[in-house]
Each structure stands twice: as C-alpha cells, then as structure tokens.
Amino acid sequence: MPGFSHDPDAPLGLRFGLPGFFTQRLQGNLRLGLPGYFTQRLQGNLRLGLAGYFTQRLQGNSRLGLPGFFTQRLHGLACVIALSAICLAAEIGAEDSPAPPAGSTPAGMAWIPGGWFTMGDEMFPDARPRRRVKVRGFWIDTKEVTNKEFAAFVAATGYVTVAERPIDPAKFPGVEKSKLEPGSVVFTPPEEAVPLDDHLRWWRWVKGGCWKHPEGPESSIKDRENHPVVHVAFEDAAAYAAWAGKRLPTEAEWERAARGGVDGKPFTWGDAAPGEPAWQTNIWQGKFPQENTRADGYVATAPVGSFPANPYGLFDMAGNVWEWCADWYRPDAFETDGVENPKGPASSHDPQEPGIAKRVQKGGSYLCSDVYCRRYRPGGRGKGDVDSGTNHIGFRCVKDAPEPR
C-alpha cells in the first residue's frame, strides 16, 4: 500500500582559482537562483565587458601610475571575475534548447526547453534543501493519460494491470486465499471527523477495484473516458509508456515542466492562493476527509484539461491525480547540488516503511488539502509502493528529443 504523506560540476570559483569566501558566495547565489538585481548587474557588466565602476577604477589607477604589481593584480582579478561572470551568466536560468527540434511535434505533447532551474520546496523535509538542477530538453504529454487512451493500450496488447492480477501468496505468507483476490485501494470518506494521523481510516482494500472499476466492481468508467486513468501501479504506467514509444519522466524533468519556466513560485500557476480569484486546480475543499464542498466543481477526478494550463501549456500539473516518476524515492535525495540530468538514487528507502520499494510521485491529487497535504506544490514530493495503485494515482509520459546528427 502506498505511503501518502551524480557527479556535479567542479565548484564555480575553484575552476578559476577564486578565494574560498567568494567561491562559497557564488555557489550559494547560484543555488538560490541569484536575486534579480545581482543577476542583472552580472549580465549588464558582461555585456559591457565589465565597463562599469570597476573598469573605471582600473583605468583610473592606471592613469595615476600605481605600482605595476598592484595594477597587474587588479587586471588579473578583473579577468578572473570576467571569466566567472561568463560561466555564471551561462548557467543562471539559461535555456540550452529553447526551440523544439526540427520536425513535427508529437501529438498531444509540449516541448520543455532544457536548462538550469531551482528544484525542491523548503516546506517539506524530503524536498530540502532547494538545489540547482539542469535537464536536457524533452517532450511531455500536455495532459494526464486518460481512461480512453489506456483502454486503447489494453485492447492492442491484452495487458493486465497489477490490480487485476491475483496477489502473489509468496509475498503474503499465511494470508488466506480468499483475501488474495485481485483488487485495489479505494478512498472511502468516513461519515464523521476522524484523527488525521491514520490514513487507514479513509482508505480500504476493495476486491475488484481496478482502472475499469475505480470505486469497485459495481462502478465503471462509462462517461469518464476523458478522466485520468487510476489504479495503475508503477509497472502498469511504465508498460503503457513503452507501448506508446515514450517513458516516464524523471522527478527533475517533471518539476521543470510543472514550473512552466518560472523559477521559485509556490504553485504551478504562480503566487496566488488556490481559489483566488478562481480555482486553478482540482484539490479538496472542506473538512478532510469527511466533507468535500466541491467548490472547484469536483469531488473526485476531473476530466483532464478542466483547469487552465501552466506557461508551458501543461494541464493538471497540480491536483487531480498523483503522477508516477521514474526515480526511486529517498527522503535525502536532494542533498546533492549542481546536478545535470539527475536520474534519482540507485535504490529506495523510506524510513516510515523500511523494506518497501517506492518510486516518486508528483503533483498531488484531488485529495490534497491545506489542512492535511499541500504537496500539490511543484516542489512537493509523494511516494508510492511500486506494486500498488489507488484511485488517486495516474501518470503522464515524456519523450526524448532526437540526438543531433
């Protein structure tokens, strides 16, 4: 059952022999995305060839006949700073591939330019510290994979999802056979308020629950063809992606896409609080878990694309359903800075459930609430048992750009 809740480049200053303090400040500013004023001054001085105040002082010292050694040292320092500025300006918010590759755009996908961005969120212990990460450009589905699309995959391949297969008795020794029938975990709201420290009070195992029967065997996806497919385990999502000629995104790719090219904002749509002035996403309103007021128009999943897209043209990067990522989950995964194209840790570890292999999930779901779970923020992280799905977990896919010839 899912939990709900690298070799970096050499230090910038070290490459140019800068003093330790200056090196640390450069690295710190780089991780924080450099405040706009400092960035502008660096870029401005770079464009002017460092012709501002510092250049004037150098020229003045030369005119005043300062000792040759001091003048040389100043000129040397100018070169060092100029080289550092060039390197730094190349890394700050740069987009390596702003334009999509030549050729046709894959249907239903959007191009995400490669470049550096700030990943993580100080609100969550497992998303700290915020770090600078660089990814290559890639294509990503503009919407979550729908029931209709998943049905086409099943019809073409005969694929049977994890939730539709009998449970392996070897994994659950001693459990009677009748309890090993296929099924999945379904959100079942209690009738009254309950403590929020035990999610088993609103989740239950339902025999026959699967992507075709989201709430159990008596339910169906009729009239929900355009809703995101749910009850997909990690291997189900990966199988669909391979069939479609795509793959699942890394956590870094997913977050780069979710932020829409705007670094440091708390939400995929910017700074405005959820619901102000109108609802930007499908999350929980009301008293969780017993009462959803449906202020956003939905009590469970919404049809994909029901809310405004982010600046990259992507829908539902916050709320609706959690989305699988390729990375193994570890709470300490963000301790490495300055990483290019990170693939995540080599193995999984969740101190809350040791021994259960988990992958990262991103984006939150319709069950996220400001009183219980705020991980619909782009830097928030979820985690899920790779062998389990629920009726609030789905996915979308990415596609690599062709290698330059």
Side-chain angles (χ1 to χ4, degrees), residues 58-84:
L58 277 176
Q59 293 171 338
N61 289 334
S62 178
R63 287 196 299 269
L64 292 171
L66 286 175
F69 171 78
F70 185 59
T71 304
Q72 292 170 12
R73 289 297 297 271
L74 281 175
H75 280 293
L77 181 58
C79 291
V80 167
I81 294 177
L83 287 171
S84 299

Side-chain angles (χ1 to χ4, degrees), residues 157-280:
T157 63
Y159 185 84
V160 178
T161 64
V162 171
E164 297 172 281
R165 306 171 199 167
I167 299 172
D168 184 358
K171 293 184 177 180
F172 298 92
V175 177
E176 57 185 82
K177 187 176 181 180
S178 63
K179 295 183 178 179
L180 297 175
E181 296 176 14
S184 191
V185 179
V186 175
F187 174 73
T188 308
E191 296 182 356
E192 57 188 21
V194 296
L196 299 181
D197 59 356
D198 181 7
H199 57 257
L200 295 180
R201 291 176 177 269
W202 53 87
W203 291 101
R204 66 186 179 95
W205 177 264
V206 177
K207 291 181 182 179
C210 66
W211 73 274
K212 292 182 290 188
H213 307 289
E215 290 78 46
E218 302 304 318
S219 65
S220 78
I221 56 173
K222 187 177 185 301
D223 299 325
R224 286 191 274 183
E225 289 85 358
N226 201 37
H227 284 236
V229 65
V230 294
H231 291 296
V232 282
F234 179 83
E235 69 177 82
D236 302 330
Y240 174 95
W243 171 77
K246 304 175 184 180
R247 61 177 174 83
L248 296 179
T250 65
E251 181 177 6
E253 289 172 332
W254 192 100
E255 188 168 332
R256 167 76 167 177
R259 291 189 177 279
V262 183
D263 226 2
K265 298 295 184 181
F267 305 108
T268 60
W269 56 86
D271 294 308
E276 296 181 3
W279 285 99
Q280 311 94 331

Side-chain angles (χ1 to χ4, degrees), residues 1-5 125-126 197 199 329 331 349-356 358 372 375 381-383:
M1 181 173 179
F4 306 105
S5 345
D126 63 349
D197 59 356
H199 57 257
Y329 174 82
H349 175 65
D350 180 7
Q352 295 180 338
E353 293 184 293
I356 297 179
K358 296 182 179 181
Y372 177 67
R375 293 176 182 264
R381 310 177 75 210
K383 54 191 176 181

Side-chain angles (χ1 to χ4, degrees), residues 19 25 42 84-85 118 163 209 213 229 261 270 299 312 322-323 375 392:
R25 290 299 296 272
L42 271 178
S84 299
T118 304
H213 307 289
V229 65
V299 68
Y312 282 149
W322 284 100
E323 300 181 16
R375 293 176 182 264
H392 77 329

